[in-house]
Amino acid sequence: MSASPNPTVVIVPGLRDHVDDHWQTLLATTLEKVRIVPALEPGTLDRATRVAALDAVLTDITGPVVLVAHSAGVMITVHWACHATRPIQAALLATPPDFETPLPPGYPTLVDLNTHGWNPIPRRRLPFPSVVAASATDPLASMRRVSGMAETWGSRLVDLGDVGHLNPASGHGPWPHGRHLLDDLIATSAGPASGDRVQV
């Protein structure tokens, strides 16, 4: 199967789900073929439930898919990839959190994350090309930890510099660089073999 130059982009939000002025929400309005993993009941922390929600969206799509995940959406994506049910052309993974290290106040505790199945973080090569876009000033993960994740996932690491957690609280909002990264990822992953690999 050859990858289409116009894949469906699937937006995978983090735990806060849909925020009107979030860059993922704004990006979705600019794309011709896009699906967004639907919001769950407020406070839903169960990892398996969120992975199942992503899988349901992917099962309903015919043709190549590129994932765009942010924050906990990255963890949802890599957990899903451990038992991938369909080919994926590529994935843009923005500012993954470090769920194995205590997070700032207002975020789930380590006990909650462990109880709901988020840990350990999967550390195996992803069955599709990927880019990890990392922040040098992310309060949810150090660059060293994110670099290690990218290495084990086989992802290309892009250092975004001082962008906080890449969310409205840190001024994003529109993120034009994200569209450039997505377009480049789609172009470079659109070879004859792209989207054909499913990890078993």
Side-chain angles (χ1 to χ4, degrees), residues 24 33-34 36 47 50 57 73 96 107 118 126 133 140 145 187:
Q24 285 182 304
K33 296 172 65 177
V34 63
I36 303 175
R47 187 265 302 168
R50 289 185 172 270
V57 171
Y107 290 90
W118 294 94
L126 296 174
L140 272 61
R145 292 280 291 178

Side-chain angles (χ1 to χ4, degrees), residues 2 27 32 46 51 69 75 84 88 112 138-139 141 160 165-166 176 179:
S2 296
L27 173 66
E32 180 182 349
D46 183 64
V51 170
M75 294 304 157
I88 296 296
D112 286 339
D138 192 343
L160 301 177
H165 192 52
L166 198 66
R179 180 58 189 263

Side-chain angles (χ1 to χ4, degrees), residues 47-56 58-59 67 74-88 117-128 153 197-200:
R47 187 265 302 168
T49 300
R50 289 185 172 270
V51 170
L54 170 59
D55 190 61
L58 294 175
T59 300
L67 303 174
V74 176
M75 294 304 157
I76 294 167
T77 297
V78 297
H79 276 283
W80 176 87
C82 292
H83 306 283
T85 55
R86 58 152 296 154
I88 296 296
W118 294 94
N119 289 321
I121 295 170
R123 287 178 171 82
R124 57 195 297 185
R125 189 174 185 87
L126 296 174
F128 42 78
W153 298 338
R197 292 173 291 173
V198 177
Q199 188 159 317
V200 293

Side-chain angles (χ1 to χ4, degrees), residues 105-117:
Y107 290 90
T109 66
L110 273 180
V111 171
D112 286 339
L113 292 168
N114 291 337
T115 299
H116 288 89

Side-chain angles (χ1 to χ4, degrees), residues 9-101:
V9 175
V10 173
I11 305 289
V12 190
L15 294 179
R16 300 190 191 281
D17 285 313
H18 301 265
V19 179
D20 289 343
D21 57 348
H22 194 285
W23 65 265
Q24 285 182 304
T25 308
L26 300 173
L27 173 66
T29 66
T30 71
L31 299 170
E32 180 182 349
K33 296 172 65 177
V34 63
R35 295 282 301 276
I36 303 175
V37 178
L40 301 180
E41 289 295 320
T44 301
L45 189 57
D46 183 64
R47 187 265 302 168
T49 300
R50 289 185 172 270
V51 170
L54 170 59
D55 190 61
V57 171
L58 294 175
T59 300
D60 193 42
I61 297 172
T62 300
V65 168
V66 172
L67 303 174
V68 176
H70 173 252
S71 190
V74 176
M75 294 304 157
I76 294 167
T77 297
V78 297
H79 276 283
W80 176 87
C82 292
H83 306 283
T85 55
R86 58 152 296 154
I88 296 296
Q89 180 175 325
L92 174 60
L93 310 173
T95 57
D98 181 5
F99 279 170
E100 296 175 344
T101 299

Side-chain angles (χ1 to χ4, degrees), residues 176-194:
H177 190 198
R179 180 58 189 263
H180 295 319
L181 289 173
L182 175 61
D183 289 344
D184 181 67
L185 183 59
I186 290 173
T188 58
S189 63
S194 295

